[in-house]
Amino acid sequence: MNDKKVTLHSHPAVWHPCTQMKHHEAFPPILISRGEGVWLYGADGKRYLDTISSWWVNLFGHCNPRINAAIIDQLGKLEHAMLAGLVHEPVVELSERLSAITPGDLSHCFYASDGSSANEIALKMSFHYWQQSGFPDKTQFVNLQNGYHGETLGALSVTDVSLFRQIYAPLLRPAHPVPTPDWRFAETGTTPETHALKAAAELESYLAQHHVSTAALILEPLIQGAGGMGMYHPVYLQRAREICDVYQVHLIADEIAVGFGRTGTLFACEQAEITPDFMCLAKGLSGGYLPLSVVMTNDTIYRAFYRDETSQAFLHSHSHSGNILACRAALATLDIIEQDNVIETNRKKADFLNQCLQPVREHSNVKNFRNCGMIWAFEVDNPQPDFTHRFAQKGLEQQLLIRPLGNSVYIMPPYVINEEEMELMAQGILHILNEI
């Protein structure tokens, strides 16, 4: 980088994701110069607690020395080699370790770079499997109301968040959303479990009529992220697995945001004791360091493509599929999870943070306060039209990088957060609520 000072009032060379660029006239982006632990440091010397793990990817803090060391070691050996016709030890080891720790018989790994790409792969694999297995009519997909699976065209087709998909509707394949088990939509006096069972009954009713044309159901297990961090009872996953089995429909578990301990177990599907036909992983897979995603599936699906004819292979590719640097980061991430007893430690941290957040839970403007593992969320009643920007700006004044989803405020901090930092975060959020 040259010595020319970078100014970011509104820097048109950088078109920011998920951003109305004109808003940067009033809210210029922060120039970040370094990170350490849960903190991001601006070029002006101010620091910000990364309460959302830089879009849900960071598990063990910025500039983690153990992940750094793994990447630096690999840099001196090999930076990348294509995974078509070649293979390397890190991708073999990562695939074997993922197969060992994920539920059931997910014994085959297909790599890409990001979550949307992983979901695209799972959708294509499911469709292609049925084409090669004598069920050519299975071409449709079912998704959940308010579900989010990415913004490439296939993934967006099974996304039910109008902000992202409405303008692109003419480009998308039709999908079929069924009612969400998110307990925020339960009738008054209905328990989360009862609401989940009711939603599952709606799924069953749909598949009873349309299973002949349905390839797969895709869902986010336990937590619907971009839909406002909606949370639901694990019984829905249990019933969904049973229903999909009855009607010969694949179950795709999009664990991109919730995998690797976010929900309190290593994978969200564990809480329902189910194994999906496809599990999609990304974000925390590499500790948040490098773009890496994977679709895991079982031997039955793998064998459907194991043919003599090239045309019957799964002909999907990514230039950086299984990138060796990203695989080394992922292996270091798995080492930390295993060696540091992360899941149990997180449960203790979650208990402490829930105590710190009790005044937030009880605040008069807060509703639907909820927690699952290392994810917290709530809605703010009667927000002003510019609520999202105001809350985010007030957060920066409290040293908090926080980014509400509409009127849903959530926190998903890196696992290395300590008690002092948790107290600061809780007090900052309470201060914002009192001011806003």
Side-chain angles (χ1 to χ4, degrees):
M1 186 172 179
N2 61 35
D3 294 331
K4 185 172 71 172
K5 184 178 179 181
V6 178
T7 58
L8 291 176
H9 167 64
S10 180
H11 202 279
V14 180
W15 195 338
H16 295 266
C18 203
T19 298
Q20 171 49 263
M21 291 297 289
K22 188 172 175 59
H23 291 167
H24 279 325
E25 293 178 7
F27 305 104
I30 301 165
L31 178 58
I32 296 298
S33 59
R34 67 183 183 91
E36 182 178 356
V38 300
W39 296 98
L40 291 169
Y41 292 83
D44 59 2
K46 295 180 181 178
R47 67 175 189 168
Y48 306 96
L49 200 160
D50 191 356
T51 73
I52 59 173
S53 294
S54 290
W55 257 348
W56 323 346
V57 302
N58 190 289
L59 298 188
F60 301 116
H62 298 283
C63 290
N64 183 284
R66 290 152 78 179
I67 303 177
N68 284 1
I71 295 172
I72 292 168
D73 175 71
Q74 185 59 50
L75 273 172
K77 301 172 182 176
L78 176 66
E79 80 299 338
H80 178 66
M82 67 177 184
L83 208 57
L86 303 175
V87 73
H88 49 76
E89 289 185 6
V91 78
V92 173
E93 181 182 353
L94 179 59
S95 301
E96 292 176 347
R97 289 179 68 175
L98 288 173
S99 296
I101 63 176
T102 47
D105 56 347
L106 299 172
S107 54
H108 301 278
C109 297
F110 196 102
Y111 290 91
S113 57
D114 59 88
S116 292
S117 298
N119 285 327
E120 294 271 351
I121 288 166
L123 295 169
K124 287 177 66 177
M125 268 189 190
S126 175
F127 163 82
H128 198 163
Y129 170 89
W130 293 119
Q131 297 303 299
Q132 298 196 164
S133 302
F135 296 89
D137 294 331
K138 283 184 171 288
T139 62
Q140 304 298 309
F141 298 100
V142 179
N143 58 324
L144 296 188
Q145 171 196 4
N146 296 334
Y148 175 88
H149 301 288
E151 293 165 48
T152 51
L153 292 180
L156 192 57
S157 293
V158 291
T159 287
D160 187 50
V161 180
S162 60
L163 177 66
F164 300 115
R165 65 168 285 141
Q166 186 173 10
I167 187 63
Y168 304 109
L171 304 179
L172 306 179
R173 295 188 78 251
H176 307 280
V178 293
T180 176
D182 177 356
W183 60 256
R184 292 178 298 171
F185 296 91
E187 297 177 359
T188 302
T190 302
T191 67
E193 182 175 6
T194 300
H195 178 67
L197 289 169
K198 180 181 177 182
E202 297 275 3
L203 169 66
E204 185 167 25
S205 177
Y206 178 85
L207 289 182
Q209 299 177 58
H210 302 284
H211 63 92
V212 172
S213 61
T214 303
L217 163 68
I218 185 170
L219 51 73
E220 301 156 273
L222 299 186
I223 300 176
Q224 294 184 287
M229 293 297 162
M231 301 183 185
Y232 61 89
H233 196 282
V235 72
Y236 185 85
L237 296 177
Q238 295 171 356
R239 290 293 298 126
R241 176 71 278 178
E242 293 166 356
I243 294 164
C244 286
D245 285 343
V246 168
Y247 292 107
Q248 286 188 286
V249 170
H250 288 146
L251 177 59
I252 302 172
D254 173 357
E255 290 233 13
I256 287 157
V258 299
F260 301 101
R262 286 291 184 192
T263 65
T265 48
L266 190 56
F267 300 102
C269 285
E270 293 177 37
Q271 296 186 40
E273 299 181 334
I274 66 157
T275 301
D277 299 291
F278 302 90
M279 179 179 280
C280 301
L281 303 171
K283 292 190 183 290
L285 173 60
S286 70
Y289 265 68
L290 291 164
L292 182 68
S293 63
V294 63
V295 178
M296 302 186 65
T297 192
N298 57 51
D299 198 58
T300 298
I301 291 167
Y302 175 80
R303 288 288 166 185
F305 297 90
Y306 201 81
R307 309 285 183 88
D308 291 327
E309 301 84 357
T310 299
S311 61
Q312 293 184 321
F314 186 62
L315 299 178
H316 183 105
S317 61
H318 289 265
S319 299
H320 288 85
S321 180
N323 172 262
I324 195 167
L325 294 173
C327 288
R328 284 296 303 272
L331 289 169
T333 297
L334 294 185
D335 287 343
I336 295 172
I337 290 173
E338 294 172 6
Q339 295 168 11
D340 290 10
N341 198 20
V342 166
I343 301 301
E344 183 57 36
T345 300
N346 280 356
R347 289 173 184 153
K348 295 174 182 176
K349 290 187 176 186
D351 289 342
F352 182 83
L353 186 49
N354 272 317
Q355 294 175 31
C356 296
L357 289 170
Q358 190 61 30
V360 172
R361 178 193 290 268
E362 296 171 353
H363 197 279
S364 58
N365 287 335
V366 166
K367 63 179 182 180
N368 299 331
F369 184 95
R370 52 200 180 275
N371 164 236
C372 181
M374 290 293 284
I375 302 174
W376 289 259
F378 58 86
E379 276 71 59
V380 176
D381 230 351
N382 301 317
Q384 299 300 313
D386 60 347
F387 168 80
T388 301
H389 291 298
R390 290 180 64 216
F391 201 100
Q393 290 301 307
K394 292 291 184 183
L396 296 177
E397 294 172 12
Q398 297 298 312
Q399 296 184 290
L400 303 180
L401 177 63
I402 195 163
R403 188 182 171 97
L405 296 160
N407 71 324
S408 298
V409 178
Y410 73 93
I411 52 176
M412 194 187 298
Y415 301 161
V416 295
I417 192 168
N418 63 36
E419 291 188 354
E420 181 181 352
E421 292 160 343
M422 285 188 270
E423 289 174 340
L424 184 149
M425 183 168 59
Q427 291 166 6
I429 292 171
L430 184 62
H431 183 87
I432 299 166
L433 287 169
N434 288 333
E435 277 204 344
I436 209 165

